[in-house]
Amino acid sequence: MNDKIATLLRNHRMENISLLKMIEAYGPAISCSVVERGAEWGMLLALPTKQSAFDLAKYPGTASVIFLSGSHAPILNELLDQVPQDKPLVFKVQHPLYKALVESKFQVSSVRSFISYSCAEPLTAADDAEVREEAAVHDELLLLWRQNGYSEQELRRMFAGGARSFTLYRGSIPVSTCIVFCNDDPVWEVGGVFMCEEHRGNGYAKKVVSRAINSLLRRNLIPRYQVVHDNAASIHVAESLGLKKAVVLEHLLYAPNHQAGHRQ
């Protein structure tokens, strides 16, 4: 990653964590335009949709995924003027200003958003000794995490990079689990949350998530718990534990000829 780009984004690390993750994951495939004028700056990142398995599945037919960040609206406006309007696009915006700028130039529809929660103090709700922390990858857990959209290759790469799992067992059966992995040090994500259907309502997901978050805090890391906007169960886990919203990343779909609203 270009040191200058990283420095600019890390000045507001949590707000820009999705951009930092994308750069880390897709590096050379991302085109980046940066404009600096004195202390003011603006940045536009474009990732071909075909490079991202998630975006290709969610937004087939789109050409690129576009991210913005910056301190100066006029600079961001200039960068947006460089974006072709003849191809379908996905804009991922993490600030109301960026959304307003995109909407001023593109007819877009909001299709989904992702809420990132965090905290700075240990959770007291359920740092449960029943929850087992492990650094090794177990095949039975891989099957559960893959139900959240992770590939086996991606998961093994996470664990090779220091990821850990937090699992609650009943006998030898894992009934709830999650993983923690690095986004951009010191921000680590709590993801892959799984809860067996027959054990729902027992607070097991809260136990594994709170144990995972407390483990990160003890290591002086910043936890990030991300949920999609319509996942009521995950939102309940976050808010019942006392986690606070840190950033909302909204996906805006653009299609030429004013068809954006028809593509859900």
Side-chain angles (χ1 to χ4, degrees):
M1 184 194 305
N2 181 283
D3 289 342
K4 185 61 175 180
I5 294 171
T7 298
L8 290 170
L9 292 175
R10 286 170 178 155
N11 285 334
H12 298 279
R13 192 187 301 262
M14 186 64 81
E15 179 180 300
N16 292 318
I17 194 63
S18 292
L19 286 74
L20 289 162
K21 280 183 64 178
M22 297 300 281
I23 291 172
E24 177 65 24
Y26 299 107
I30 294 179
S31 61
C32 182
S33 299
V34 182
V35 175
E36 294 183 86
R37 295 195 184 114
E40 305 292 354
W41 64 280
M43 182 185 304
L44 185 145
L45 307 181
L47 172 70
T49 304
K50 64 183 180 181
Q51 298 290 333
S52 165
F54 172 87
D55 292 300
L56 187 60
K58 295 295 185 183
Y59 308 116
T62 60
S64 299
V65 182
I66 307 295
F67 294 86
L68 293 170
S69 189
S71 64
H72 197 47
I75 293 177
L76 293 172
N77 260 323
E78 291 175 25
L79 291 169
L80 282 170
D81 284 338
Q82 300 173 17
V83 178
Q85 298 200 14
D86 60 341
K87 297 179 180 179
L89 304 167
V90 182
F91 292 89
K92 297 187 180 181
V93 295
Q94 71 278 25
H95 193 285
L97 171 63
Y98 308 157
K99 180 179 181 180
L101 293 174
V102 170
E103 289 179 332
S104 73
K105 296 179 181 294
F106 297 84
Q107 185 171 332
V108 295
S109 59
S110 178
V111 288
R112 60 178 51 83
S113 58
F114 290 86
I115 307 167
S116 289
Y117 292 87
S118 189
C119 65
E121 299 295 329
L123 303 176
T124 59
D127 189 5
D128 201 299
E130 286 187 297
V131 177
R132 189 183 305 171
E133 179 178 352
E134 299 174 286
V137 181
H138 299 293
D139 289 342
E140 71 272 20
L141 296 179
L142 280 175
L143 294 173
L144 305 183
W145 300 324
R146 289 182 66 182
Q147 294 185 38
N148 286 282
Y150 298 102
S151 69
E152 180 173 344
Q153 181 182 17
E154 184 180 16
L155 287 161
R156 292 193 182 279
R157 185 173 64 248
M158 288 176 183
F159 277 86
R164 298 180 183 179
S165 64
F166 295 81
T167 308
L168 194 152
Y169 293 85
R170 285 292 173 260
S172 61
I173 305 299
V175 297
S176 188
T177 185
C178 70
I179 53 178
V180 298
F181 54 93
C182 182
N183 286 166
D184 183 71
D185 264 340
V187 179
W188 280 55
E189 184 166 336
V190 180
V193 180
F194 175 86
M195 182 70 232
C196 285
E197 188 70 35
E198 60 268 32
H199 291 280
R200 292 186 185 277
N202 293 314
Y204 293 162
K206 286 178 62 175
K207 289 186 177 185
V208 298
V209 169
S210 64
R211 180 73 184 274
I213 287 174
N214 283 349
S215 174
L216 293 175
L217 291 172
R218 282 193 290 268
R219 295 161 59 193
N220 295 316
L221 300 172
I222 300 171
R224 175 182 180 239
Y225 180 75
Q226 180 177 259
V227 302
V228 68
H229 73 281
D230 58 357
N231 189 333
S234 288
I235 290 173
H236 173 73
V237 168
E239 296 184 351
S240 64
L241 286 172
L243 304 182
K244 304 300 181 184
K245 287 183 183 179
V247 63
V248 178
L249 182 74
E250 189 168 1
H251 293 194
L252 307 174
L253 185 62
Y254 166 74
N257 303 319
H258 312 299
Q259 298 300 308
H262 297 158
R263 298 183 53 150
Q264 299 297 323

